[in-house]
Amino acid sequence: MKIGIEAINFYTSHYYIDLKCLAEDRNVPFSKFYHGIGQEKMAAPPPDEDVITLAANAAFAAIQSVDTKKIDTVIFATESGIDQSKSGGIYVHHLLQLGKNCRVFEVKQACYSAAAGIQLSVPYLTLYPDRKVLLIASDIARYGIGSAGEPTQGAGAVAMVLSAQPNIVAFDKDSGIFTEDVMDFWRPNYRDEALVDGKFSIKMYIKALIESWQQFSERSGRGFADFYRFCYHLPFSRMGEKAHIHLAKYAGKEEYSNEFMMSQIIDTLYYNKIIGNTYAASMYIGLLSLLENSDEDLAGKRIGFFSYGSGCVGEFFSGEVLPGYQKFLAPEQHTKFLNNRTEISYEKYKEFFTYSIPEVDGDHRTPKNETGLFRFAGISEHKRIYQGLL
Ligand code: HMG
């Protein structure tokens, strides 16, 4: 029996800034961002967009071709949740009008949590092959105006329907896992922006990759040459390149040319370069970028996945692309959607970024912007109000 992705879709904010604006403001060459970290544009969500509306927009399209009565589990993976108690998934479950016989919960471990969602869903669906899991990863990456991390912000969501009737990717059984208690990136409850030790976080990412790979290859018996493409967690696209070069040197049996190594990851980078870090969602936006931009038919090819969440947990796992997967994707719509976004100025971005909801009770309405089919309309009696524009 194969368990994997039956349907998948992503969504990001309608608004972005070009990192050339940020470079101009900081008086640094824009090549530092375009080439040094490999990022060109950064999604900049307005006040009436949050992880719930991003998630609902991603999931709405993902479930259109699915028998939603069979979804009995919604897993909401995020590190930028909107409530300390209630799962963001319940708001999305309501907005999508899913059935009431459904368990809904939120998972958190920095950018890693959606991979945990996959690892727990695969054995669950093996036991109950008639059921489906809706796994949503949705995040808004915030480091703060003027911080070193600012050019690596972003926002977006991915929704995947996982089931025993996969159309796109079937996951393999084995994975390799690594955990270590480190402070490379964290966000205390009293802060809206993450704290980060940037250079250390890069070192920990690479360490977690190599350690996870070691266990993965021992458990699975698979080697580097068994993989055609690799999808990495992408906090910025050059991180994927750095990671892949390290893995190729460590696990490969020969010296590979840069051209060859880049060919194994390049298609995964396009969407992230113009969206930014989407934390828990980023690796799966990378997967969609690969499947929708590759010139080749990838059916039957094996993909390696490395998910990293600061703090930290890493996991290497794998999957095979399924025949006919192209029929279940929407590359033209995604390209059109990304090209039709609105570029905003650095000033407008700062206005969006610094907007805050008053903590005092009252009837607070958010200003209206383009947010797709769903919007965060405001707060009343400390309750968030969402509108579906269907
Ligand atoms: P920085 O100090 O601004 O940049 O921080 P830098 O000085 O290190 O420069 C970056 C690169 O640009 C360097 O290349 C420079 O040489 C190059 P490298 O040496 O790395 O190959 N450069 C130029 N290139 C072309 N033209 C120029 C030029 N100038 C310099 N003119 C840093 C960069 C990524 C550390 C910072 O943005 C940051 O702290 N970001 C946030 C942390 C992060 O993304 N960490 C990644 C690993 S941890 C992770 O992935 C988890 C995470 O997603 C969170 C989670 O799990 O929840 C973050």
Side-chain angles (χ1 to χ4, degrees):
M1 189 188 339
K2 289 185 174 176
I3 308 289
I5 304 173
E6 180 178 333
I8 181 169
N9 185 45
F10 83 93
Y11 187 82
T12 183
S13 182
H14 181 73
Y15 301 95
Y16 72 89
I17 69 159
D18 194 307
L19 290 182
K20 283 181 180 165
C21 296
L22 191 61
E24 206 175 290
D25 185 77
R26 292 181 176 203
N27 205 15
V28 295
F30 74 84
S31 58
K32 173 165 182 184
F33 301 146
Y34 269 52
H35 306 298
I37 58 169
Q39 291 301 118
E40 296 174 9
K41 292 171 184 169
M42 174 173 104
D48 52 342
E49 184 162 60
D50 65 8
V51 290
I52 307 302
T53 64
L54 292 166
N57 275 303
F60 179 76
I63 61 170
Q64 288 313 303
S65 58
V66 167
D67 182 356
T68 52
K69 289 193 287 302
K70 295 197 169 160
I71 297 176
D72 81 337
T73 303
V74 175
I75 305 177
F76 193 79
T78 188
E79 66 178 276
S80 37
I82 44 94
D83 195 287
Q84 299 281 27
S85 168
K86 181 169 170 172
S87 160
I90 297 190
Y91 295 95
V92 180
H93 174 274
H94 173 77
L95 288 168
L96 299 178
Q97 294 161 19
L98 295 175
K100 64 181 178 162
N101 296 121
C102 188
R103 66 175 71 76
V104 182
F105 57 97
E106 190 166 304
V107 284
K108 176 178 72 180
Q109 176 25 58
C111 306
Y112 163 76
S113 54
I118 291 177
Q119 295 304 319
L120 297 178
S121 296
V122 171
Y124 174 69
L125 293 165
T126 307
L127 200 57
Y128 299 106
D130 55 329
R131 303 181 187 179
K132 298 181 197 294
V133 174
L134 175 60
L135 170 60
I136 306 172
S138 184
D139 265 311
I140 299 179
R142 288 169 62 93
Y143 292 94
I145 309 278
S147 66
E150 187 181 20
T152 63
Q153 294 178 158
V158 153
M160 291 176 261
V161 177
L162 306 176
S163 76
Q165 296 80 42
N167 295 314
I168 298 158
V169 167
F171 293 113
D172 300 320
K173 183 170 75 63
D174 292 308
S175 77
I177 319 160
F178 172 78
T179 286
E180 188 175 329
D181 182 3
V182 288
M183 296 301 277
D184 61 333
F185 165 107
W186 67 106
R187 185 166 68 84
N189 283 348
Y190 49 82
R191 283 184 62 98
D192 287 336
E193 283 102 35
L195 295 164
V196 64
D197 184 344
K199 302 280 179 327
F200 179 52
S201 72
I202 294 173
K203 282 201 185 110
M204 284 312 303
Y205 180 121
I206 302 284
K207 181 177 180 189
L209 167 63
I210 300 303
E211 298 261 0
S212 304
W213 168 266
Q214 280 171 352
Q215 192 188 40
F216 170 80
S217 57
E218 277 160 29
R219 280 178 167 178
S220 66
R222 290 201 162 101
F224 187 82
D226 291 321
F227 293 95
Y228 194 64
R229 295 289 180 259
F230 291 80
C231 284
Y232 292 92
H233 165 52
L234 295 171
F236 51 95
S237 72
R238 285 254 0 259
M239 185 70 236
E241 294 176 29
K242 283 175 197 277
H244 192 55
I245 291 166
H246 270 86
L247 186 66
K249 283 204 175 118
Y250 177 83
K253 292 216 163 30
E254 54 184 283
E255 280 286 306
Y256 300 111
S257 67
N258 268 346
E259 201 185 2
F260 174 74
M261 288 187 286
M262 280 308 290
S263 74
Q264 295 187 307
I265 59 164
I266 188 97
D267 291 332
T268 69
L269 308 179
Y270 299 130
Y271 292 164
N272 293 70
K273 266 177 186 288
I274 55 170
I275 293 174
N277 193 355
T278 54
Y279 289 163
S282 91
M283 186 170 79
Y284 312 93
I285 293 183
L287 170 65
L288 269 170
S289 178
L290 166 68
L291 297 176
E292 296 187 345
N293 291 290
S294 174
D295 290 339
E296 294 173 62
D297 183 355
L298 297 171
K301 306 285 190 201
R302 180 151 275 102
I303 301 180
F305 295 95
F306 176 64
S307 173
Y308 178 75
S310 285
C312 72
V313 178
E315 184 149 5
F316 194 100
F317 57 102
S318 65
E320 189 186 328
V321 182
L322 296 170
Y325 68 94
Q326 296 94 333
K327 291 199 295 285
F328 302 92
L329 301 174
E332 289 84 17
Q333 279 105 304
H334 285 153
T335 305
K336 197 166 153 206
F337 164 64
L338 289 169
N339 290 343
N340 285 347
R341 292 177 299 163
T342 299
E343 179 177 354
I344 56 171
S345 65
Y346 189 56
E347 287 312 310
K348 187 73 185 170
Y349 145 75
K350 282 203 283 194
E351 186 191 311
F352 281 176
F353 191 92
T354 51
Y355 183 91
S356 67
I357 304 285
E359 273 183 33
V360 288
D361 190 21
D363 198 20
H364 180 82
R365 301 286 145 172
T366 49
K368 187 157 178 5
N369 294 283
E370 172 58 72
T371 60
L373 295 172
F374 305 93
R375 72 180 290 269
F376 166 48
I379 291 199
S380 181
E381 297 175 348
H382 296 295
K383 296 170 192 161
R384 289 174 90 87
I385 305 158
Y386 289 96
Q387 287 171 344
L389 309 177
L390 296 174

